[in-house]
C-alpha cells in the first residue's frame, strides 16, 4: 500500500541526497548557534520600537537614554536632568512623571540589594547629600529626610532622585528601595536652583555635614577647578570621621559634551581620602558620553537607573557618575552601621577590596557587607590612595553571561552529536532497504 502525503499524492521517497543536507544543517547549527546566542542575550536585545524611538529622542536632547531593565525590557520613563542649561531662561521645574516603573531595574539586581538588606539597612547612620536639594515629602522618602536652609526646595529634582537611591523605601508594585532605607538623610545644596555647581556652596555644605556629625557625605557634583576652601572642608570632614564619596566627573549636560574633552581631575573627587566613583553600564563599561578622568577608585551602576522625583509619585530614569556615587554612599552607610568601629579609611578600603575585579573595581554591595577580610587587607585600609593614570573599565558582559553560554553550547553540542550518530547508524540501514520504511507489514 502506497503512503500518501497530506495533499493526497504519493509521498516522495527521501534519497541519500536529502539526508546529507539535513546533517549539514544540524552541524552548522551546532557551530553557529552558540555564537548567536550571546548576542540575543545581551541587555537590550528585546526593546520595543516605541522605547527605541524614545531613547533616540532622549539622546538627541542630551538626556539619559532608556536602557533595559534587568529582564532585558526597556523602561519607558522620562529622564531626570542633573541640571538645566545655564543658557536657557524661564525653564520650568522638572514636571511630575506620569509613568511608574514596571520592572526592577538592572542596577538593584546587580548590587543584590535584596540580600544586602538581610544584613542591614544603615539604621542609625546619617548620610549628607550635597546636590540640588531634596524635597522631604517626596514619594518613598518617608520622614527620613531633613533639609538645611534652601535645600528643601528641589526645582531640578536631581537631588531628590539621588536621595531615593540612598534612603528610599520604594513604593508601587516594583518596590525599588535605596541601598540604606534605614538611614537618615541630610539634604544640603551644592548648586544654584538651576543645578549649576558652585565651589563655595559645596564647601559650605561639606562643613554643615561635618558639623551635623554625618557618617557619610555624598557629593553628587564635580567641579573643574580645585578650591582651597573646599579642600580644607573635605580634609576637616575626613578628620572628623566621615566617609566622603564624590562623583568622579560632572554628569554630561548634552550628547556632545565629550567631543575632544581632555582627561582631567575633577573636585572634590580628586582630593586625598575622597572615594572617587565613576558610572558604568550593565556591561561594566563606562558610557560613551562619560567625561574622561583619572584617579577613579570605584565604578557603580550609572545608566538607566530608576528612582523618584520631588513631585508626584512617578518614576524617572537617571544616569551619570552622581548616580554611581549615590549607590556607593548608600553602601557605605550600611557598612558604617554594621561596622561602627571602622575608620573611614577602612570603610573605603572594604568597598574597593571587595569590588568585582576590573580595570576599575566595580561596586559589589553584598560582598562589601559580608566578606571577611584578613589582617593584611585590614592593614591595607590605612594606606593613602595613590594617583593613577587614565584607566578604562573592562567590559564584563561576556563574563557575566559565561554560564548561560556554556549551558547553551553543551546542549547544542549534545544535539549535534546525537544527529551525527543517527546519520552514521540509521542512514546505511535506510539505504540498504532502498529508503523504504523499516516495517512494511503495516502499509
Amino acid at each position: 500500500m502506497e503512503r500518501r502525503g497530506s495533499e493526497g499524492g504519493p509521498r516522495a521517497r527521501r534519497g541519500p541526497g536529502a539526508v546529507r543536507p539535513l546533517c549539514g544543517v544540524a552541524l552548522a547549527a551546532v557551530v553557529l548557534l552558540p555564537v548567536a546566542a550571546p548576542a540575543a542575550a545581551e541587555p537590550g536585545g528585546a526593546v520595543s520600537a516605541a522605547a527605541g524611538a524614545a531613547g533616540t529622542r532622549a539622546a538627541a536632547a542630551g538626556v539619559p537614554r532608556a536602557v533595559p531593565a534587568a529582564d532585558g525590557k526597556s523602561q519607558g520613563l522620562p529622564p531626570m536632568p542633573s541640571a538645566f542649561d545655564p543658557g536657557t531662561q524661564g525653564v520650568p521645574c522638572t514636571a511630575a512623571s506620569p509613568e511608574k516603573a514596571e520592572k526592577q531595574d538592572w542596577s538593584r539586581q546587580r548590587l543584590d540589594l535584596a540580600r544586602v538588606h538581610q544584613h542591614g539597612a544603615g539604621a542609625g547612620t546619617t548620610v549628607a547629600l550635597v546636590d540640588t536639594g531634596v524635597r522631604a515629602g517626596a514619594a518613598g522618602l518617608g520622614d527620613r529626610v531633613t533639609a538645611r536652609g534652601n535645600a528643601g526646595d528641589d526645582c531640578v529634582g536631581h537631588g531628590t532622585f539621588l536621595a531615593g537611591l540612598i534612603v528610599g523605601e520604594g513604593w508601587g508594585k516594583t518596590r525599588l528601595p535605596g541601598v540604606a532605607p534605614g538611614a537618615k538623610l541630610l539634604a544640603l545644596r551644592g548648586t544654584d536652583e538651576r543645578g549649576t555647581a558652585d565651589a563655595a556652596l559645596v564647601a559650605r555644605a561639606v562643613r554643615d555635614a561635618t558639623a551635623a556629625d554625618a557618617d557619610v557625605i555624598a557629593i553628587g557634583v564635580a567641579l573643574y577647578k580645585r578650591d582651597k576652601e573646599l579642600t580644607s572642608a573635605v580634609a576637616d570632614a575626613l578628620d572628623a570621621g566621615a566617609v566622603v564619596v564624590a562623583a568622579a566627573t560632572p554628569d554630561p549636560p548634552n550628547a556632545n559634551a565629550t567631543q575632544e574633552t581632555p582627561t582631567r581631575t575633577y573636585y572634590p573627587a580628586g582630593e586625598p581620602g575622597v572615594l572617587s566613583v565613576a558610572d558604568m553600564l550593565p556591561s561594566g563599561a563606562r558610557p560613551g558620553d562619560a567625561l574622561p578622568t583619572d584617579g577613579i577608585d570605584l565604578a557603580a551602576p550609572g545608566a538607566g537607573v530608576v528612582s523618584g522625583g520631588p513631585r508626584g509619585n512617578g518614576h524617572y530614569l537617571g544616569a551619570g557618575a552622581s548616580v554611581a556615587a549615590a549607590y556607593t554612599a548608600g553602601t557605605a552607610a550600611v557598612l558604617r552601621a554594621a561596622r561602627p568601629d571602622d575608620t573611614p579609611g577602612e570603610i573605603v578600603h572594604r568597598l574597593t577590596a571587595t569590588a568585582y575585579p576590573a580595570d576599575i573595581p566595580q561596586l559589589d554591595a553584598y560582598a562589601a557587607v559580608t566578606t571577611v577580610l584578613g589582617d593584611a587587607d585590614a592593614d591595607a585600609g590605612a594606606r593613602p590612595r595613590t594617583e593613577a593614570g587614565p584607566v578604562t573599565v573592562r567590559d564584563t558582559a561576556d563574563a557575566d553571561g559565561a554560564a548561560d553560554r556554556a549551558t547553551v553550547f553543551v546542549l547544542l553540542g549534545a544535539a549535534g552529536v546525537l544527529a551525527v550518530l543517527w546519520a552514521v547508524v540509521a542512514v546505511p540501514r535506510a539505504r540498504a532497504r532502498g529508503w523504504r520504511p523499516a516495517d512494511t507489514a503495516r502499509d
Side-chain angles (χ1 to χ4, degrees):
M1 180 175 179
E2 187 176 51
R3 286 197 175 180
R4 295 183 175 272
S6 59
E7 298 301 323
R11 177 176 294 177
R13 290 180 177 177
R14 187 176 297 172
V19 175
R20 292 193 184 98
L22 289 176
C23 293
V25 170
L27 291 174
V30 172
V31 175
L32 296 177
L33 280 178
V35 177
E42 284 293 325
V47 180
S48 68
T56 302
R57 290 193 299 270
V63 294
R65 189 160 52 105
V67 304
D71 64 351
K73 297 180 180 179
S74 77
Q75 306 243 45
L77 303 173
M80 173 58 71
S82 57
F84 298 135
D85 189 340
T88 60
Q89 300 294 330
V91 177
C93 295
T94 300
S97 170
E99 305 293 338
K100 291 185 179 180
E102 295 294 331
K103 300 289 181 180
Q104 181 87 226
D105 71 343
W106 72 276
S107 62
R108 288 171 172 85
Q109 292 195 17
R110 180 68 172 259
L111 298 177
D112 212 354
L113 294 191
R115 289 205 297 167
V116 168
H117 293 156
Q118 294 175 6
H119 297 271
T125 63
T126 298
V127 180
L129 175 60
V130 182
D131 202 79
T132 63
V134 178
R135 183 171 175 269
L141 297 182
D143 60 353
R144 290 181 295 282
V145 176
T146 300
R148 182 70 61 88
N150 61 357
D153 180 17
D154 185 13
C155 180
V156 177
H158 190 257
T160 305
F161 182 94
L162 298 184
L165 302 180
I166 300 172
V167 301
E169 62 186 0
W171 72 95
K173 65 179 182 180
T174 49
R175 300 293 299 175
L176 298 171
V179 186
K184 298 288 186 180
L185 188 136
L186 173 62
L188 299 164
R189 178 73 70 78
T191 73
D192 63 16
E193 64 177 7
R194 314 306 288 172
T196 301
D198 179 87
L201 292 177
V202 177
R204 185 185 309 159
V206 171
R207 292 205 178 278
D208 287 344
T210 303
D213 294 325
D215 299 282
V216 180
I217 302 176
I219 304 174
V221 300
L223 302 164
Y224 288 81
K225 295 181 179 180
R226 195 174 192 182
D227 179 80
K228 290 183 178 180
E229 179 58 28
L230 179 55
T231 298
S232 176
V234 168
D236 290 344
L238 292 170
D239 289 342
V243 176
V244 182
V245 181
T249 66
D251 295 336
N254 56 65
N256 299 318
T258 60
Q259 288 184 353
E260 300 180 359
T261 301
T263 298
R264 64 187 304 165
T265 301
Y266 297 91
Y267 296 94
E271 297 291 350
V274 175
L275 187 64
S276 174
V277 185
D279 45 338
M280 72 179 190
L281 299 170
S283 67
R286 291 199 71 198
D289 62 352
L291 294 170
T293 189
D294 53 16
I296 300 172
D297 296 307
L298 203 61
V305 173
V306 179
S307 188
R311 286 161 282 280
N313 59 359
H315 291 112
Y316 305 79
L317 282 176
S322 60
V323 171
Y327 269 145
T328 305
T331 306
V334 175
L335 288 176
R336 297 230 64 171
R339 311 179 66 85
D341 295 331
D342 281 8
T343 66
E346 289 170 340
I347 294 293
V348 168
H349 174 69
R350 173 170 286 273
L351 288 168
T352 56
T354 60
Y356 185 88
D359 290 345
I360 301 176
Q362 299 168 9
L363 176 66
D364 187 335
Y366 181 72
V369 173
T370 59
T371 299
V372 177
L373 298 179
D375 292 338
D377 293 316
D379 292 340
R383 290 198 296 265
R385 186 186 67 180
T386 58
E387 292 299 325
V391 292
T392 57
V393 180
R394 177 173 60 84
D395 189 333
T396 61
D398 291 339
D400 293 340
D404 292 337
R405 291 197 294 274
T407 301
V408 172
F409 182 81
V410 170
L411 292 175
L412 292 176
V417 170
L418 291 176
V420 171
L421 291 176
W422 176 84
V424 171
V425 176
V427 171
R429 293 182 179 179
R431 183 184 294 112
R433 294 194 303 271
W435 305 101
R436 290 191 300 273
D439 187 5
T440 56
R442 296 180 181 178
D443 288 343

